[in-house]
Amino acid sequence: MSSEMPFSSAETLDQYLLNHNLRLSFDGYAFEEWQNQLTSNLKECLGPFPEKPVPLNSRVISTEKFEKFTLHRVIYDSRSDSPVPAYLLIPHGIREKSPAVLCIHGHVPEGKANLVFGDGQYGVPYGRELAEQGLVTLCPDNAGMGERAHPSGGCDFLWRRLNLLGHDLTGYRVYDLIRSVDYLQSLSEVDETRIGIAGLSGGCWLGIVHAALDPRVQAAILSGYFTTFAQTSWFGHCICHHPKGIGELCEMPDIAGLIAPRPIFVEWGNQDTSRPVHPAFEITQKIYSVANAEDQITLHEFEGGHVFSGQRSLPWLIQELSG
Ligand SMILES: [Zn+2]
């Protein structure tokens, strides 16, 4: 403990973090039993979730044609009185049911706009890029961002309200993603058995949890936030990355291990040192190995910062969903 701040609670808690055991971190044995146990504990930590889904009541608000796809502005209900605005991109000339990708935006106030109209600040706008390459993409706004932002604030505003009610903001957003897959599966253009996800940054965090809890996700690109709580959330980041009790339950790469044996592609820019991919990747890789799926996890480290590269991940996802 520092002699300059002998009564600092933060330093005491730092020692606790370094020394305590995670209750359900993977111990290398009984993979399926561990997977079931952590999944059930994770749902409890992030819930409660609605017992029954409400009707989607989906509607198209407007339609605009671009060179290679048609963009529909759509709305569907996640919970009662909780409409989700999204962009649905349908490539021109689809003749049979197509694979689809749920594109999860990062932790930015403009929300889904970057996924389609991004200027490169956050790398490749993957919602548009995948549609231009022939896949249906769905780009919803996460609660508190984009069209779902509130003038009084984003995550803090929502987190305070949900916390008073005993809910969690990550869980709240992940449930919207589960309902977004429901919406994709309701579309005549989409093959409901070939649905993937892609997410950068805060969208990577939500994507890890979503894919872990939703077995319909067939493949996932996890970009720019494949890391550990100990290296990120512990030192800051937004309150929305701190579900109650999760740091006592497991580490982030354990949650990614729940996706096994389904394939995941991790990307990380080697200048993004505040969100290190090591040792998280190796921890999840070990879990995949025990699940006999060591060839289903890939890492692309690229020269660059906190952006979505797509250089290797996008062709990989298209291949995974085309088979
Ligand atoms: Zn946040």
Side-chain angles (χ1 to χ4, degrees):
M1 188 174 288
S2 160
S3 58
E4 290 174 16
M5 302 187 70
F7 307 113
S8 162
S9 308
E11 292 196 4
T12 308
L13 288 172
D14 280 351
Q15 287 308 309
Y16 176 76
L17 174 79
L18 293 172
N19 296 324
H20 89 292
N21 289 320
L22 300 168
R23 190 156 52 88
L24 281 176
S25 202
F26 187 53
D27 63 3
Y29 302 98
F31 170 73
E32 284 181 16
E33 193 182 320
W34 165 81
Q35 204 173 32
N36 291 335
Q37 207 180 359
L38 181 56
T39 300
S40 133
N41 277 262
L42 189 62
K43 281 181 183 167
E44 209 169 300
C45 175
L46 298 169
F49 296 102
E51 281 179 23
K52 256 179 69 178
V54 300
L56 286 165
N57 187 26
S58 63
R59 49 272 191 206
V60 176
I61 303 305
S62 67
T63 292
E64 190 176 352
K65 278 205 167 184
F66 288 79
E67 188 189 346
K68 294 187 176 173
F69 57 83
T70 301
L71 183 150
H72 303 280
R73 292 168 194 268
V74 300
I75 298 176
Y76 44 90
D77 292 340
S78 176
R79 300 166 181 78
S80 53
D81 302 322
S82 181
V84 176
Y87 295 145
L88 172 67
L89 278 59
I90 308 281
H92 297 324
I94 283 188
R95 289 201 184 81
E96 54 186 28
K97 281 182 174 286
S98 161
V101 179
L102 172 61
C103 297
I104 313 169
H105 68 75
H107 195 277
V108 288
E110 56 269 38
K112 65 184 181 306
N114 277 309
L115 298 171
V116 179
F117 304 110
D119 59 4
Q121 183 185 1
Y122 302 108
V124 172
Y126 39 102
R128 184 177 75 213
E129 184 65 29
L130 285 163
E132 288 181 342
Q133 296 197 39
L135 276 66
V136 172
T137 63
L138 179 66
C139 312
D141 273 328
N142 294 328
M145 297 175 186
E147 292 183 82
R148 301 175 81 189
H150 190 280
S152 300
C155 294
D156 274 13
F157 183 81
L158 289 181
W159 188 89
R160 285 164 208 260
R161 280 152 180 75
L162 289 167
N163 191 55
L164 279 175
L165 295 167
H167 290 243
D168 173 70
L169 184 48
T170 289
Y172 191 84
R173 286 173 172 159
V174 165
Y175 187 72
D176 287 344
L177 299 176
I178 290 169
R179 295 310 318 272
S180 298
V181 173
D182 290 347
Y183 174 66
L184 278 174
Q185 290 190 322
S186 76
L187 299 173
S188 61
E189 295 91 345
V190 170
D191 179 345
E192 63 178 22
T193 67
R194 292 189 289 163
I195 291 177
I197 64 167
L200 167 69
S201 189
C204 176
W205 159 239
L206 292 174
I208 290 170
V209 179
H210 174 218
L213 296 183
D214 190 344
R216 298 172 300 176
V217 174
Q218 293 300 304
I221 299 175
L222 303 168
S223 178
Y225 207 83
F226 198 100
T227 182
T228 65
F229 300 127
Q231 291 164 299
T232 54
S233 307
W234 191 262
F235 297 104
H237 292 264
C238 183
I239 193 76
C240 68
H241 292 74
H242 298 69
K244 185 179 177 184
I246 205 161
E248 184 269 338
L249 188 62
C250 64
E251 252 295 356
M252 205 187 300
D254 291 310
I255 302 174
L258 297 179
I259 308 170
R262 287 169 288 148
I264 60 174
F265 193 109
V266 178
E267 30 160 80
W268 177 67
N270 58 10
Q271 293 159 26
D272 191 10
T273 51
S274 63
R275 303 166 190 86
V277 77
H278 305 293
F281 181 79
E282 288 73 21
I283 295 170
T284 306
Q285 196 176 33
K286 268 186 203 160
I287 301 174
Y288 266 72
S289 175
V290 175
N292 293 318
E294 56 270 23
D295 55 345
Q296 299 299 307
I297 176 168
T298 308
L299 172 63
H300 176 209
E301 283 189 35
F302 57 91
E303 283 294 326
H306 190 55
V307 295
F308 191 98
S309 160
Q311 187 191 355
R312 287 180 51 201
S313 62
L314 290 176
W316 172 88
L317 185 59
I318 292 166
Q319 177 68 32
E320 285 292 332
L321 296 177
S322 298

